[in-house]
């Protein structure tokens, strides 16, 4: 069954809604400016009436009669005096305008003393990097004017910088990565550690924008995502990085969150994925999330090198062709996957030459998920067997045309054991957990534009699809439902996404499942 594509109002409607809100806000501001005198006088009349009612309530009953006689006498005198009513109305309007004025104290312009001291300290720290002895009119100099270098600045309630725009001289080497890294490291240290900062370099305007990023949500559980066939949600990122949001369910609430969507299939430019991380960083969680999404439209072969049983919940499920934890089963599964890729290519080529549609058994997507394949490399070398990664040559090279997608997840300490084919053909990259800038650049091909988080939760990292930008990433919580440490809510969320079990887990060997697969 072909799923209907995501309606435009859900995918790109956020920009239209924001534009409508901006137009409504502009109209309201214009109306407020035009009607401001009337609003002020009306507020003043209301305050005068309230004051009169209070004065009348405070007047003793025995004195209310003389007070009424006095008011009536004043009204009669005003009515008999030439231009008295007009002068009375003018006086009343003036009193109402005075009483209805905005009495809220004006916000102080500019930073306070502590904020000024913070900006001055930051300015002095940047002097050695943004100044030179040959500059006749330096922008940065010890004891100079910091307000010329910082045209825009914002602070939070605690007095820490949340946004800053820095002007720097044109001779600064902003095109060199090392020079920019030194400035970013200094700003990270001086503006306050423990937060994530985004640095945007405007090389044409000689300006650097520093923005404090809010933490990514870590409470998003596994669920059905509103995506089209061939789209896989890797996780969620900042709203300013992508032009799309997904409606998600969080308890009894619904909210729109910007996703990082990885597109696979014949027209994909990044048909295969490589995930790197530290132990406990969430690489297995990401593979489980991908497997649950892939089972909606395709078949899955899972090979686990860690031997911890992270994918036992998928054994025997509809669409799961194999879940292998041993070397022999891994070799058999990958050999079948290579043969299946070749069979699909031949069948599709013959159908095209004959002018027919490709057979149905060649159009159903096939996913090969490998968790820590480097563990099998050491075992194969010790037992004299073939390295299982060598069987990935055909699926990696021809998988896009055959509808075969390969996802490899491994750890940094085993990165050297990855084959050249895996490194060359996995153009979609994800790094999870703590990582050094050198490791991020080596895996992603480019450094991230943000500073690393101080506390890295599981599933937190960076993603880059091909030659695109580096996105912050938070993987949806997809724990092992058989793990005792998993909460009941997370366990039920994962179990609800599992396909029905068509084969008992202990009834049919996995090798037979692979052999009988189409």
């Amino acid at each position: 069954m072909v799923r209907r594509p995501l309606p435009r109002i859900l995918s790109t409607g956020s920009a239209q809604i924001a534009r409508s809100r901006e137009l409504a806000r502009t109209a309201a501001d214009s109306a407020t400016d035009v009607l401001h005198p009337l609003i002020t006088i009306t507020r003043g009349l209301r305050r005068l009436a309230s004051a009169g009612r209070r004065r009348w309530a405070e007047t003793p009953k025995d004195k209310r009669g003389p007070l009424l006689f006095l008011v009536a006498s004043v009204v009669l005198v005003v009515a008999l005096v030439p231009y008295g009513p007009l002068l009375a109305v003018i006086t009343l309007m003036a009193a109402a305008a005075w009483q209805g004025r905005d009495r809220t104290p004006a916000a102080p312009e500019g930073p306070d003393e502590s904020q000024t001291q913070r900006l001055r300290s930051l300015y002095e720290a940047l002097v050695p990097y943004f100044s030179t002895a040959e500059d006749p009119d330096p922008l940065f100099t010890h004891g100079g004017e910091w307000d010329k270098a910082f045209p825009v600045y914002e602070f939070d309630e605690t007095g820490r910088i949340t946004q800053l725009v820095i002007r720097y001289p044109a001779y600064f080497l902003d095109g060199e990565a090392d020079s920019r890294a030194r400035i970013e490291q200094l700003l990270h240290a001086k503006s306050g550690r423990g937060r994530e900062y985004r640095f945007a370099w405007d090389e044409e305007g000689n300006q650097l924008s520093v923005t404090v990023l809010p933490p990514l949500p870590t409470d998003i559980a596994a669920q059905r995502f509103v995506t089209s066939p061939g789209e896989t949600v890797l996780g969620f990122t900042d709203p300013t990085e992508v032009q799309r949001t997904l409606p998600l369910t969080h308890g009894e609430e619904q909210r729109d969150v910007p996703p990082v969507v990885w597109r696979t299939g014949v027209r994909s430019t990044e048909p295969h994925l490589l995930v790197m991380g530290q132990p406990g960083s969430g690489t297995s969680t990401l593979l489980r999330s991908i497997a649950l999404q892939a089972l909606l439209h395709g078949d899955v072969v899972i090979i686990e090198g860690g031997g911890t049983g992270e994918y036992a919940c998928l054994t025997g499920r509809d669409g799961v062709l194999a879940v292998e934890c041993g070397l022999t089963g891994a070799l058999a599964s990958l050999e079948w996957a290579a043969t299946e890729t070749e069979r699909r290519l031949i069948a599709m080529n013959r159908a095209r030459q004959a002018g027919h549609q490709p057979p149905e058994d060649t159009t159903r997507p096939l996913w090969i998920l490998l968790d820590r394949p480097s563990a099998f490399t050491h075992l194969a070398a010790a037992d004299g067997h073939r390295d299982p990664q060598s069987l990935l040559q055909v699926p990696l090279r021809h998988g896009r045309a055959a509808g075969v997608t390969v996802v490899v997840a491994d750890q940094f300490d085993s990165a050297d054991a990855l084959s050249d084919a895996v490194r060359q053909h996995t153009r979609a990259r994800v790094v999870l957990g703590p990582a050094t800038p050198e490791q991020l650049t080596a895996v992603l091909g480019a450094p991230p534009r943000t500073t690393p988080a101080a506390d890295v939760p599981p599933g937190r990292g960076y993603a880059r699809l091909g030659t695109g930008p580096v996105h912050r990433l938070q993987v949806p919580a997809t724990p092992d439902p058989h793990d005792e440490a998993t909460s009941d809510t997370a366990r039920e969320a994962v179990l609800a996404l599992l396909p029905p079990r068509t084969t008992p887990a202990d009834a049919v060997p996995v090798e037979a499942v692979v052999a009988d697969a189409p």
Side-chain angles (χ1 to χ4, degrees), residues 33-384:
D33 294 339
V34 173
L35 301 177
H36 181 70
L38 181 60
I39 294 174
T40 302
I41 294 175
T42 303
R43 188 189 305 121
L45 291 175
R46 186 169 61 251
R47 291 177 179 176
L48 290 176
S50 300
R53 286 195 300 269
R54 288 195 303 269
R55 180 63 182 274
W56 177 259
E58 295 174 356
T59 303
K61 293 183 178 180
D62 57 344
K63 295 183 179 181
R64 290 183 179 180
L67 179 62
L68 286 176
F69 179 77
L70 177 62
V71 172
S73 301
V74 173
V75 171
L76 180 61
V77 171
V78 170
L80 296 177
V81 172
Y83 303 102
L86 179 60
L87 293 176
V89 171
I90 294 175
T91 304
L92 179 62
M93 293 297 102
W98 176 258
Q99 291 293 330
R101 71 189 188 280
D102 190 5
R103 300 180 181 181
T104 57
E109 298 182 359
D112 56 21
E113 183 178 354
S114 61
Q115 296 172 354
T116 302
Q117 181 62 31
R118 184 181 292 271
L119 291 174
R120 188 179 302 279
S121 300
L122 186 59
Y123 174 84
E124 295 290 339
L126 291 172
V127 169
Y129 301 92
F130 287 151
S131 63
T132 180
E134 292 79 10
D135 191 350
D137 186 17
L139 180 61
F140 285 81
T141 180
H142 291 291
E145 300 178 1
W146 59 266
D147 53 346
K148 293 183 178 180
F150 303 150
V152 178
Y153 46 84
E154 292 182 5
F155 295 86
D156 57 11
E157 295 79 4
T158 61
R160 305 174 73 186
I161 296 175
T162 58
Q163 185 177 3
L164 182 66
V165 175
I166 303 175
R167 295 176 53 207
Y168 58 87
Y171 52 76
F172 176 72
L173 302 179
D174 53 3
E176 296 184 1
D178 294 339
S179 301
R180 296 165 65 158
R182 287 193 296 268
I183 299 299
E184 294 175 1
Q185 183 179 6
L186 174 65
L187 293 174
H188 183 202
K190 293 295 183 180
S191 300
R193 298 185 182 274
R195 301 183 296 175
E196 294 185 76
Y197 295 85
R198 178 182 301 281
F199 300 100
W201 291 84
D202 182 8
E203 300 181 7
E204 295 182 354
N206 297 323
Q207 287 188 351
L208 169 61
S209 299
V210 184
T211 307
V212 177
L213 299 176
L216 295 177
T218 58
D219 55 353
I220 299 177
Q223 54 190 282
R224 292 289 182 218
F225 302 120
V226 185
T227 56
S228 301
E231 293 183 343
T232 303
V233 176
L234 299 180
F236 304 94
T237 184
D238 300 305
T240 58
E241 293 298 309
V242 295
Q243 300 179 354
R244 174 179 178 180
T245 59
L246 289 181
L248 301 180
T249 302
H250 178 62
E252 298 180 354
E253 301 178 355
Q254 285 191 350
R255 56 181 175 177
D256 294 339
V257 182
V260 177
V261 178
W262 172 41
R263 294 174 175 83
T264 58
V266 179
R267 294 177 176 84
S268 174
T269 57
E270 302 87 21
H272 308 296
L273 176 69
L274 175 63
V275 183
M276 299 295 294
Q278 302 287 356
S281 60
T283 55
S284 299
T285 298
L286 178 56
L287 260 64
R288 267 191 301 271
S289 176
I290 293 176
L292 293 176
Q293 298 179 63
L295 288 173
L296 289 176
H297 309 285
D299 300 323
V300 176
V301 175
I302 301 175
I303 298 175
E304 181 189 359
T308 57
E310 292 278 348
Y311 308 93
C313 61
L314 295 171
T315 303
R317 301 285 179 176
D318 186 16
V320 180
L321 304 182
V323 178
E324 293 292 349
C325 299
L327 177 59
T328 303
L331 289 172
S333 299
L334 291 179
E335 187 175 357
W336 170 84
T339 305
E340 172 66 11
T341 303
E342 295 176 350
R343 185 195 69 81
R344 291 188 175 201
L345 289 175
I346 295 174
M348 296 172 68
N349 187 31
R350 289 176 178 176
R352 291 191 184 96
Q353 290 181 355
H356 302 302
Q357 292 291 334
E360 294 183 1
D361 59 349
T362 63
T363 57
R364 183 172 175 83
L366 174 62
W367 291 72
I368 305 174
L369 308 181
L370 297 94
D371 194 352
R372 293 198 63 190
S374 59
F376 290 125
T377 301
H378 301 293
L379 293 176
D383 297 341

